[in-house]
């Protein structure tokens, strides 16, 4: 009935019950003769929309050739079958990351080790590095560089309960030796690669009780073996933080593929692309590239707005503020926190370098990259996404350690764009083409007012998964929902998500991992653990393989039904011995 494995009768029996004009008797008849209807497009279209409860305004996936094939894809290619449980960690597993080749992956844990695994037919442990000798408390994040020769590992220092210091280690994949270590503060900056040999770390300088300055540094991975005459570190950006906020969770997005994404999420753009170009059709269950043409449109400016009174000097503003206080012209007495914030705002107004006016890339071959991170302006809980463009000349440690010379009125760097989430951000992930940013957040109550930055609003148990188009800087689609979290603001922790070409997956505090389809915005699978699921990771070369990591100290391996059949077919079958055949011939 059209190539590939057919859907079982039991599945057809269940799904045909969703059609109003089919009763139980006719279902039985259909299940016996379903070969005849397997290519009835009207039937499969009705079946698809009703079974998955999708609005009819949602078109079919742009690369699908039929409704039958699309139904089969969502049934047969979801990595929802557990095939292996890895129990080599003896504490909570916090993070997973694949190499770009898909041959290896790394895991970080509260047991203070980073483990390297070989991704073969059966996954096996290849190496384990214990970071306790370096005074680490635990490992929390890892990332392979672009050619998979180096592994960045981020960890937390042993210290008092409220300590925020961390460190980044670089490990060679050739012989698993430690090449360098870089201080990272706060520890939940995590760190990331900018290119093959340079990584980004953070530092935090306190200015007042709730005011600080975050400095982002570019570091050479080979600091321990470079010549004394070559710079191994350079300051990238210096950004002021207000109301106890800090920069955290840095990542880098490459803008070069924005005009040829793997999947356009805007349905109108999909229609325009399909009508103006001939799209290459590919198997939606495989990982071959889809060529799509993006219609050109005039980019809208997405620049952070500057205060209307920017022309007022800091000195004049401060003098006016003090005069208003002394002469009783304030509507109400200012608290110490409010006064500190107001003075900091006045100081930074004339000491900040203006943002880039043309943030959106216009050249598809642009070498520009975006530095993306969580931040805030109202309270310490991360509730905004900051975006800062990194220009080509900034992507090396060559030049002055403190970066380009600055005028006195450019003491701080401004953000080029800010996305306000109105909730506590607990996870971020980029699509493989870096066109879309997926954000896990727990919403604040509508119309809430924050009067004390140390008392953020309560957060919802439901996790919203937002999607932002980094080419237009706009939110696309409605937020995905299904997963939940229960910890309050002060105990809230990061839940890592991952995005493949067709799917997005996330952990949750409800002891499950979740998988959604990116095009249809529907939840396709729940993957069970015995405790909180902290991280998920798709294989970059095989999206039908997914890993999940949990507080239950296990890593689970999930494959699709289709991948399982192919895996079983590759297993060697036992062969009869020659002497057995000879004995049978004798008898």
């Amino acid at each position: 009935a059209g190539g590939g494995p057919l859907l079982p009768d039991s599945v057809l029996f269940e799904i045909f019950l969703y059609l109003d004009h089919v009763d139980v008797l006719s279902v039985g008849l259909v299940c016996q003769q379903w070969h005849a209807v397997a290519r009835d497009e009207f039937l499969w279209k009705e079946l698809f929309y009703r079974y998955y409860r999708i609005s009819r305004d949602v078109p079919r996936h742009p690369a699908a050739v039929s409704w039958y094939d699309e139904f089969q894809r969502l049934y047969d290619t979801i990595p929802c079958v557990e095939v292996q449980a890895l129990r080599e960690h003896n504490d909570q597993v916090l993070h997973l990351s694949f190499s770009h080749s898909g041959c290896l992956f790394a895991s970080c844990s509260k047991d203070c080790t980073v483990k390297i695994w070989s991704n073969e037919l059966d996954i096996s442990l290849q190496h384990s590095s214990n970071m306790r000798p370096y005074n680490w408390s635990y490992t929390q994040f890892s990332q392979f560089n672009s050619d998979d020769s180096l592994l960045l590992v981020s960890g937390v220092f042993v210290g008092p309960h409220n300590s925020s210091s961390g460190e980044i280690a670089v490990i060679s994949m050739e012989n698993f030796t430690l090449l360098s270590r870089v201080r990272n503060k706060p520890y939940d900056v995590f760190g990331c690669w900018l290119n093959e040999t340079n990584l980004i770390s953070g530092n935090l300088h306190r200015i007042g009780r709730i005011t600080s300055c975050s400095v982002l540094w570019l570091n050479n991975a080979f600091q321990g073996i470079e010549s004394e005459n070559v710079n191994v570190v350079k300051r990238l950006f210096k950004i002021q933080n207000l109301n106890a906020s800090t920069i955290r969770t840095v990542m880098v997005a490459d803008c070069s593929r924005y005009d040829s994404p793997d999947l356009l999420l805007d349905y109108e753009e999909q229609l325009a692309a399909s009508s103006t170009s001939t799209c290459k059709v590919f198997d939606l269950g495989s990982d071959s590239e889809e060529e799509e043409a993006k219609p050109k449109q005039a980019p809208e400016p997405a620049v952070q707005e500057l205060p209307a009174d920017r022309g007022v000097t800091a000195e004049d503003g401060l003098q006016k503020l003090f005069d208003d206080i002394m002469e009783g012209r304030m509507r109400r007495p200012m608290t110490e926190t409010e006064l500190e914030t107001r003075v900091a705002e006045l100081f930074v107004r004339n000491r900040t370098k203006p943002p880039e006016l043309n943030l959106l890339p216009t050249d598809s071959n642009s070498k520009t990259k975006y530095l993306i991170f969580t931040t805030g302006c109202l309270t310490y809980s991360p509730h905004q996404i900051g975006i800062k463009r990194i220009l080509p000349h900034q992507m090396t440690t060559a030049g002055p350690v403190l970066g380009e010379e600055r005028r006195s009125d450019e003491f701080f760097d401004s953000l080029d764009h800010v996305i306000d989430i109105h909730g506590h951000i607990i996870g971020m992930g980029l699509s493989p083409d870096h066109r879309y940013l997926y954000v896990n957040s727990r919403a604040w109550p509508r119309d809430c007012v924050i009067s004390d930055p140390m008392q953020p609003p309560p957060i919802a148990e439901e996790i919203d998964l937002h999607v932002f188009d980094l080419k237009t800087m706009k939110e696309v689609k409605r937020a995905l929902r299904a997963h939940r979290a229960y910890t309050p603001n002060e105990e809230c922790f990061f839940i890592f998500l991952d995005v493949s070409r067709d799917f997005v997956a996330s952990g949750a505090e409800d002891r499950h991992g979740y998988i959604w389809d990116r095009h249809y915005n529907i939840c396709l699978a729940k993957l069970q653990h015995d405790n909180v699921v902290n991280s998920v990771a798709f294989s970059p070369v095989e999206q039908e393989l997914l890993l999940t990591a949990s507080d239950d100290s296990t890593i689970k391996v999930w494959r699709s039904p289709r991948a399982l059949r192919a895996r079983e077919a590759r297993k060697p079958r036992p062969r009869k011995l020659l002497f057995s055949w000879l004995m049978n011939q004798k008898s």
Side-chain angles (χ1 to χ4, degrees):
L6 301 176
L7 299 177
D9 284 357
S10 59
V11 175
L12 280 176
F13 184 88
E14 177 188 352
I15 58 184
F16 273 120
L17 291 177
Y18 281 82
L19 298 179
D20 297 337
H21 60 279
V22 178
D23 58 24
V24 175
L25 291 177
S26 59
V27 166
L29 179 62
V30 169
C31 286
Q32 293 174 14
Q33 301 178 343
W34 66 292
H35 294 271
V37 300
R39 287 299 179 184
D40 187 329
E41 277 294 277
F42 173 77
L43 183 64
W44 284 105
K45 181 178 180 180
E46 288 292 309
L47 183 65
F48 191 90
Y49 280 118
R50 297 193 185 206
Y51 182 71
Y52 288 110
R53 300 176 182 178
I54 300 171
S55 168
R56 292 179 183 271
D57 296 334
V58 179
R60 193 175 69 191
H61 193 291
V65 296
S66 71
W67 285 104
Y68 168 78
D69 289 337
E70 190 66 345
F71 196 101
Q72 187 179 36
R73 174 179 78 91
L74 296 189
Y75 166 76
D76 209 29
T77 66
I78 311 303
C80 58
V81 182
E82 181 184 341
V83 296
Q84 198 173 353
L86 309 174
R87 307 184 189 279
E88 278 77 357
H89 282 290
N90 54 36
D91 207 334
Q92 302 169 4
V93 188
L94 302 180
H95 185 255
L96 299 164
S97 64
F98 267 100
S99 63
H100 295 81
S101 68
C103 297
L104 302 172
F105 70 88
S107 58
C108 295
S109 169
K110 282 287 184 74
D111 65 12
C112 207
T113 66
V114 55
K115 297 186 187 298
I116 314 298
W117 307 80
S118 178
N119 179 26
E120 298 173 346
L121 200 59
D122 285 316
I123 291 171
S124 58
L125 181 63
Q126 186 170 344
H127 177 77
S128 180
S129 292
N130 181 13
M131 302 304 291
R132 289 201 191 279
Y134 305 102
N135 207 33
W136 284 26
S137 178
Y138 57 90
T139 59
Q140 60 173 351
F141 175 83
S142 65
Q143 185 183 47
F144 288 85
N145 70 341
S146 57
D147 65 2
D148 295 336
S149 61
L150 303 173
L151 179 68
L152 176 155
V153 182
S154 175
V156 180
F157 269 143
V158 174
H161 176 68
N162 60 354
S163 173
S164 63
S165 292
E167 194 171 66
I168 295 171
V170 178
I171 296 175
S172 168
M173 286 293 96
E174 183 179 1
N175 50 17
F176 303 113
T177 56
L178 183 63
L179 297 179
S180 59
R181 292 157 56 199
V182 176
R183 185 62 60 91
N184 192 40
K185 183 177 181 179
Y187 60 81
D188 49 4
V189 168
F190 294 119
C192 66
W193 291 105
L194 177 61
N195 48 41
E196 287 184 8
T197 57
N198 294 299
L199 59 101
I200 295 173
S201 66
N203 202 357
L204 184 68
H205 304 280
R206 294 290 176 188
I207 299 175
R209 192 174 69 90
I210 59 170
T211 309
S212 64
C213 172
S214 287
V215 181
L216 297 171
W217 292 90
L218 186 64
N219 307 268
N220 192 298
F222 301 96
Q223 293 189 12
I225 55 178
E226 289 284 0
S227 165
E228 293 181 359
N229 299 320
V230 178
N231 282 343
V232 294
V233 63
K234 185 172 75 174
R235 186 175 66 192
L236 271 180
F237 304 116
K238 183 165 58 174
I239 298 168
Q240 189 193 43
N241 305 308
L242 300 175
N243 289 319
S245 64
T246 61
I247 286 177
R248 316 178 192 189
T249 319
V250 298
M251 59 179 58
V252 172
D254 186 346
C255 308
S256 61
R257 286 195 59 197
Y258 284 5
D259 286 333
S260 57
D262 295 329
L263 175 67
L264 283 168
L265 296 185
D266 185 277
Y267 299 139
E268 292 182 2
E269 282 189 283
Q270 286 180 9
L271 182 62
S274 62
S275 63
T276 58
S277 65
T278 55
C279 294
K280 177 183 175 183
V281 176
F282 62 92
D283 180 359
L284 282 165
S286 72
D287 286 280
S288 56
E289 295 264 333
E290 172 188 4
E291 299 294 334
E292 292 194 75
K294 169 71 175 62
K296 291 189 177 181
Q297 57 185 21
E300 298 179 13
V303 179
Q304 186 181 34
E305 293 186 2
L306 301 177
D309 56 349
R310 181 175 174 84
V312 179
T313 65
E315 292 77 9
D316 292 343
L318 285 170
Q319 186 62 54
K320 184 178 184 304
L321 174 63
F322 293 146
D323 290 345
D324 289 344
I325 293 173
M326 297 303 294
E327 296 176 16
R329 291 197 294 265
M330 306 297 293
R331 294 180 181 177
R332 60 177 178 80
M334 296 183 72
T335 65
E336 182 181 341
T337 297
E338 290 172 330
L339 181 60
E340 180 181 329
T341 299
R342 182 61 178 149
V343 170
E345 289 173 340
L346 289 168
F347 175 78
V348 77
R349 181 176 300 163
N350 299 114
R351 297 290 186 272
T352 301
K353 185 178 180 180
E356 298 287 344
L357 295 178
N358 186 21
L359 176 64
L360 303 180
T362 56
D363 181 7
S364 60
N365 296 318
S366 171
K367 295 182 180 179
T368 299
K369 295 184 179 182
Y370 290 157
L371 181 64
I372 301 172
F373 45 84
T374 63
T375 182
C377 64
L378 303 174
T379 180
Y380 69 81
S381 65
H383 56 277
Q384 292 179 322
I385 298 167
I387 299 176
K388 188 70 182 168
R389 176 155 49 175
I390 307 175
L391 300 175
H393 73 273
Q394 296 174 303
M395 299 182 190
T396 172
T397 56
V401 171
L402 297 181
E404 300 172 354
E405 288 190 17
R406 295 168 178 259
R407 303 194 307 267
S408 61
D409 60 346
E410 295 182 348
F411 187 79
F412 294 110
D413 294 291
S414 60
L415 305 185
D416 294 329
H417 189 72
V418 176
I419 300 172
D420 202 309
I421 300 297
H422 193 76
H424 192 128
I425 299 170
I426 60 170
M428 294 198 303
L430 289 165
S431 59
D433 53 24
H434 288 203
R435 171 73 181 263
Y436 298 98
L437 176 68
Y438 286 75
V439 181
N440 267 337
S441 75
R442 295 173 62 184
W444 291 338
R446 189 185 299 271
D447 302 323
C448 65
V449 176
I450 301 175
S451 57
D452 183 354
M454 305 309 294
Q455 297 290 329
I459 49 179
E461 288 188 354
E462 295 83 7
I463 301 175
D464 294 326
L465 184 49
H466 302 274
V467 191
F468 296 94
D469 186 339
L470 292 178
K471 180 168 184 177
T472 63
M473 295 296 169
K474 294 180 179 178
E475 186 168 7
V476 292
K477 293 183 174 289
R478 58 179 175 81
L480 301 172
R481 275 192 172 181
H483 47 333
R484 302 176 72 86
Y486 308 107
T487 50
N489 259 312
E490 63 274 11
E491 300 174 19
C492 200
F493 53 87
F494 215 73
I495 293 177
F496 294 93
L497 58 94
D498 196 24
V499 189
S500 71
R501 193 195 58 212
D502 296 312
F503 309 125
V504 55
S506 174
E509 291 184 38
D510 58 12
R511 303 183 180 186
H512 288 88
Y514 290 82
I515 303 174
W516 293 265
D517 183 83
R518 292 179 60 197
H519 174 75
Y520 297 109
N521 262 36
I522 53 174
C523 185
L524 297 170
K526 290 176 65 175
L527 314 175
Q528 188 167 4
H529 272 267
D530 294 329
N531 212 321
V532 172
V533 178
N534 296 306
S535 179
V536 297
F538 286 102
S539 166
V541 296
E542 183 188 2
Q543 66 175 359
E544 296 178 40
L545 168 62
L546 177 71
L547 307 174
T548 55
S550 170
D551 278 358
D552 62 16
S553 304
T554 65
I555 300 169
K556 289 190 176 182
V557 184
W558 309 82
R559 295 186 185 271
S560 69
R562 182 173 75 169
L564 269 183
R565 291 193 300 272
R567 187 167 175 257
E568 290 299 319
R570 290 198 301 267
K571 284 186 176 180
R573 295 181 179 179
R575 300 164 67 182
K576 290 184 178 181
L577 298 176
L578 180 60
F579 77 85
S580 298
W581 180 81
L582 291 173
M583 292 298 294
N584 290 334
Q585 294 299 313
K586 275 189 174 183
S587 61

